[in-house]
Amino acid sequence: MGKPIKIRAKVKGDISEVKALMPHDMESGLRRDAETNELIPAHYITELVAEHNGEIVMTAYWGPAVSRNPYVSFSFTGGVAGDTIKIHWEDNQGDSSTTEAVLK
Amino acid sequence: MNNKILLLSVIIGLFAGGGATAGPEEDRTAMLEYYTGRFPDVPLQEFANGLYAFDEIAREQWIEMEDFPPYEIAIEDGQALFEARFANGKSYADCFDNGGIGIRQQYPYFAADLGEVVTLELAINQCRAANDEQPLPYLTGDLAAISAYMSYTSRGNTINVEVPQDNPSALAAYESGKQYYYTRRGQLNFACMSCHVQSAGLMLRADRLSTTLGHATHWPVYRAKWGETGTLQNRIIECNSQVFAKPLEPQSIEYRNLEYFLTYMSNGLELNGPASRR
Amino acid sequence: MNKLSILLVACAFLLPGCGQETVSSGSPEHAGGSSFAEIYAAAEQALAVAEAKRNVWSRTEGLLRDAKAADADGRTDEAIALATEAKLQAELASVQADTEAETWRTRVLSN
Amino acid sequence: MKVHRRLVLKGTLALSAIAAWPRLLLAARPDSAFSANDADKAIADLFGQTPLDSDQVKMKIPDIAENGAVVPVTVSTDLENVESISIVVVNNPTPLAAVFLLTPRSIPSVSVRIKMGQTSQVRALVNAGGNLYSTSKDVKVTIGGCGG
């Protein structure tokens, strides 16, 4: 089970802006352990889905080139304060995480 | 009063070793004048932002990072750890003034009973020991997270490190930190000051060197190079390695004294930790 | 620039590329004809002195480890060269600590 | 995983009825594009067409990256009917970094932080109205000292 996602979602006029920070190692699979010199296995988020009140507003597919502890921000129309934002990710090792937040 | 002054002059005489030795306040003033003279356009509190005070390109990226900085993960983890109860039912709040909230500006301080400098990180483990808990590793992880949370609650407070003038051991600890700071070491034969005083603001390979003024205001730091949040001493260890000097043990007397001196140099600046750095 | 600085700077140029453990080739006939064991012991001794002064360079211990490995591997010349370099580093670190014990004061800003 | 894929499908079905953008209505992660070790191959694999340079695609990315491990990028556009935004780092071992699928409710602007192994051209691709547009920028990555 992945760690919870930190979400900030704010509505201004008709535009809702969502910013999210996900604790995740995002290992590329190309780095070596400093002590053992062994390759550290790839471990990165591959898919991310954002929903507003149950409707998908953004889907992302990622490779290992997204930074450690990924940050993403996106915006959509039609949200009002109090609505639910849900973000879900899955990674290449089968871990996942889902967090809900309230649009403010 | 007169006795104190007499004692003080004896102490100063002891450390002067023949040459003139300035006290902490003169050291701080000299440093302040040096940097404000060299960077006349940088407002004082901006020195707390390290190289971002004078590197525009880096600053822009840093501001973007600060919009949703990865150290927020450490603050959140740190708060949960800070508020958790020890096996004996007590918690960190029981160990610190004001329940541990908004107190970072008091650290490091010279503990007269111990006869040593106590940093906030050392105090966190002292608290654990007093409650029969195992110590935490000093550089990153849970302890850095707790420290990050405690810094966060102290943001905006003015650093106020004291070197009690009536305690020769405190002054000796400060002097030892100052000596470490100015001493060349490692295969590259660099002192802290070689980079951060003489060459502050200049490039060393791809890095722009920060000023000593403000070095102690913003810890712990999420450093992109580390990919995690670490304490000031984690950075000092890295500095040692960069000049090919074998680092000392975390929270060794030398490092604590150095942190004492370094933090004193930032007296008067506001705490702004935790922070993100390249 | 004092002698120590020159020596140290010269030594810095001998630094191999970051993180690489390159090895200088040992001369087949080393001065004095000391055995590896003798040089290694002397290097360990010099390192202990530097350690007591809390001033060890970061690559010295690695050089000694590599020296031991090279010796165990039968690469005696290389082992001797590595141990000699470790000894030199430890000695320089000691000299550095001694010199700095007073010279640091000359750099203090408030002077 | 399955539930999630189904959700994505549901979200994109409505769109697929409007126009034929076959390769881009991804019901699943385009794994082959992500594993391509050449930028052009990755783009061809993903879109099946060559992008047109367009000043309507805007990319905010530093000229000199502070640290290649964390390079902030924002891609936005004035184009209408934006279906996806993608980011490609040409000199990375696997150049395709991220694909964002938008919806009719999306504001066509996304921000993300990416890794860059070395100095490279970075390309932003916007798929809108069945066409592929792009802009690119050279980003200098300096290495921060030994072992950086």
Side-chain angles (χ1 to χ4, degrees), chain A residues 23-100:
Chain A
H24 198 287
D25 284 349
M26 297 300 285
E27 280 296 346
S28 63
L30 302 171
R31 292 200 320 142
R32 283 182 190 277
D33 184 298
E35 273 157 36
T36 63
N37 203 35
E38 308 242 329
L39 277 176
I40 303 169
H43 188 203
Y44 56 92
I45 294 174
T46 49
E47 312 184 14
L48 181 95
V49 177
E51 291 174 26
H52 163 244
N53 285 352
E55 183 184 333
I56 291 176
V57 285
M58 196 274 294
T59 303
Y61 296 118
W62 287 350
V66 169
S67 301
R68 188 181 175 103
N69 299 320
Y71 164 83
V72 66
S73 104
F74 58 92
S75 301
F76 61 90
T77 57
V80 291
D83 288 355
T84 304
I85 301 295
K86 186 167 110 181
I87 297 182
H88 170 84
W89 60 249
E90 290 176 12
D91 71 24
N92 69 324
Q93 291 189 3
D95 286 345
S96 65
S97 178
T98 305
T99 303
E100 286 192 4

Side-chain angles (χ1 to χ4, degrees), chain C residues 17-19, chain D residues 145-147:
Chain C
C18 300
Chain D
C146 293

